[in-house]
Amino acid sequence: MTTTRGLRDAEDPITMLTAYDAPTAAVVDEAGVDVILVGDSMGNAALGYDSTLPVTFDEVASRTAAVARATEDALVVADMPFLSFGVDEAESVRNAGRLLKEANADAVKIESGPHTVATTRRMTEVGIPVMAHLGLTPQHVNRLGGYTRQGTEQDAAEEIIELAGDHADAGAFALVLEHVPANLAGAVTEALEIPTIGIGAGPDCDGQVLVINDAVGLGEWSPPFARQFGDVRGEMVDAVEAYAEAVTSGEFPAEEHSHVEAELNDLY
């Protein structure tokens, strides 16, 4: 089974994908992906919300438990949703602990900033592995004014580098860098002893992560930094249309899909 220490010691690039249910998690795990992130991206990708902000702690906990039940080898990381952390340190630690204790997550991820350094330190002190997250942090979309690239100016880039170091010093075992310039991500990676995992952050991170819908081609839209490695949406449309046509035409169910009990022939 992949561990946080194993990620730090890995020689090959780290692979991470999201999953929000047991069947998907089983496929991702069987494919040998190192880390499964039960991301609050479930808001857009699975729950029909317009953003990650409405995602509740209970929704993350339920889906993390489902993913954990289906996973044997990958490290399962649960995203802490908006307002489940950062308001009160004791409550933040308690919520993170519940994701490990009740939902069987191996670690938590928190969208990071100056306010989460102390929280990261406290969580790691009590035995909760923390993955930090800098750059584009979707829970701050209202403050950022949209899902725009971060760290494009000198001051902002230097702040990200400083915050990355602060979170590493506080005990974070890894850092997600989202939608930042590739040369900034490279500088952060060079500066840290913990691994960086990029999404829209170029090739110089220690690993990469994508939302599963983007990776397999399930969604109607993907961000420009993502790549579709399949056409699952197209395959599903074809299969559903074929099913509907077979039912309409009477082709399904056929004789081999049914069972007749001879003793019941007099029922009608």
Side-chain angles (χ1 to χ4, degrees), residues 124-198:
T124 57
E125 285 174 348
V126 300
I128 302 169
V130 176
M131 178 179 285
H133 180 167
L134 292 170
L136 174 60
T137 47
Q139 292 176 15
H140 296 83
V141 62
N142 290 332
R143 177 178 63 82
L144 297 175
Y147 300 99
T148 56
R149 184 179 289 110
Q150 301 298 303
T152 57
E153 298 180 357
Q154 186 72 25
D155 289 348
E158 290 177 355
E159 182 181 13
I160 288 174
I161 294 173
E162 181 178 358
L163 282 172
D166 290 344
H167 283 83
D169 291 342
F173 72 89
L175 169 68
V176 170
L177 289 168
E178 181 169 358
H179 208 17
V180 299
N183 46 347
L184 170 57
V188 173
T189 302
E190 182 69 24
L192 298 184
E193 293 186 4
I194 64 172
T196 59
I197 301 173

Side-chain angles (χ1 to χ4, degrees), residues 68-81:
R69 285 192 289 268
T71 302
E72 295 184 4
D73 296 319
L75 187 79
V76 176
V77 179
D79 228 344
M80 296 199 68

Side-chain angles (χ1 to χ4, degrees), residues 14-263:
I14 298 164
T15 54
M16 182 161 83
L17 280 172
T18 66
Y20 317 110
D21 56 66
T24 304
V27 170
V28 173
D29 188 49
E30 184 178 342
V33 170
D34 298 313
V35 184
I36 296 178
L37 173 64
V38 190
D40 64 355
S41 51
M42 68 178 69
N44 310 79
L47 299 178
Y49 299 139
D50 292 331
S51 72
T52 65
L53 298 182
V55 176
T56 68
F57 178 85
D58 287 342
E59 286 169 334
V60 171
S62 174
R63 288 176 176 265
T64 299
V67 167
R69 285 192 289 268
T71 302
E72 295 184 4
D73 296 319
L75 187 79
V76 176
V77 179
D79 228 344
M80 296 199 68
F82 184 57
L83 295 184
S84 69
F85 69 100
V87 178
D88 175 82
E89 185 174 288
E91 182 181 13
S92 301
V93 174
R94 187 175 299 110
N95 285 337
R98 286 184 60 196
L99 289 173
L100 269 65
K101 188 173 183 177
E102 300 173 16
N104 289 322
D106 299 308
V108 299
K109 182 178 78 64
I110 57 176
E111 293 193 6
S112 307
H115 63 295
T116 60
V117 176
T119 302
T120 298
R121 179 174 292 107
R122 184 58 183 151
M123 287 180 180
T124 57
E125 285 174 348
V126 300
I128 302 169
V130 176
M131 178 179 285
H133 180 167
L134 292 170
L136 174 60
T137 47
Q139 292 176 15
H140 296 83
V141 62
N142 290 332
R143 177 178 63 82
L144 297 175
Y147 300 99
T148 56
R149 184 179 289 110
Q150 301 298 303
T152 57
E153 298 180 357
Q154 186 72 25
D155 289 348
E158 290 177 355
E159 182 181 13
I160 288 174
I161 294 173
E162 181 178 358
L163 282 172
D166 290 344
H167 283 83
D169 291 342
F173 72 89
L175 169 68
V176 170
L177 289 168
E178 181 169 358
H179 208 17
V180 299
N183 46 347
L184 170 57
V188 173
T189 302
E190 182 69 24
L192 298 184
E193 293 186 4
I194 64 172
T196 59
I197 301 173
I199 176 169
D204 294 327
C205 294
D206 297 302
Q208 298 292 327
V209 58
L210 282 178
V211 171
I212 187 68
N213 295 35
D214 298 331
V216 302
L218 180 57
E220 294 184 89
W221 173 88
S222 294
F225 52 74
R227 175 182 167 187
Q228 294 186 349
F229 294 85
D231 184 21
V232 169
R233 183 179 181 85
E235 292 289 336
M236 290 181 68
V237 168
D238 290 346
V240 172
E241 288 179 347
Y243 160 76
E245 182 179 345
V247 171
T248 302
S249 67
E251 179 186 347
F252 178 83
E255 184 177 349
E256 63 266 27
H257 306 122
S258 306
H259 170 73
V260 175
E261 189 65 53
E263 295 182 4

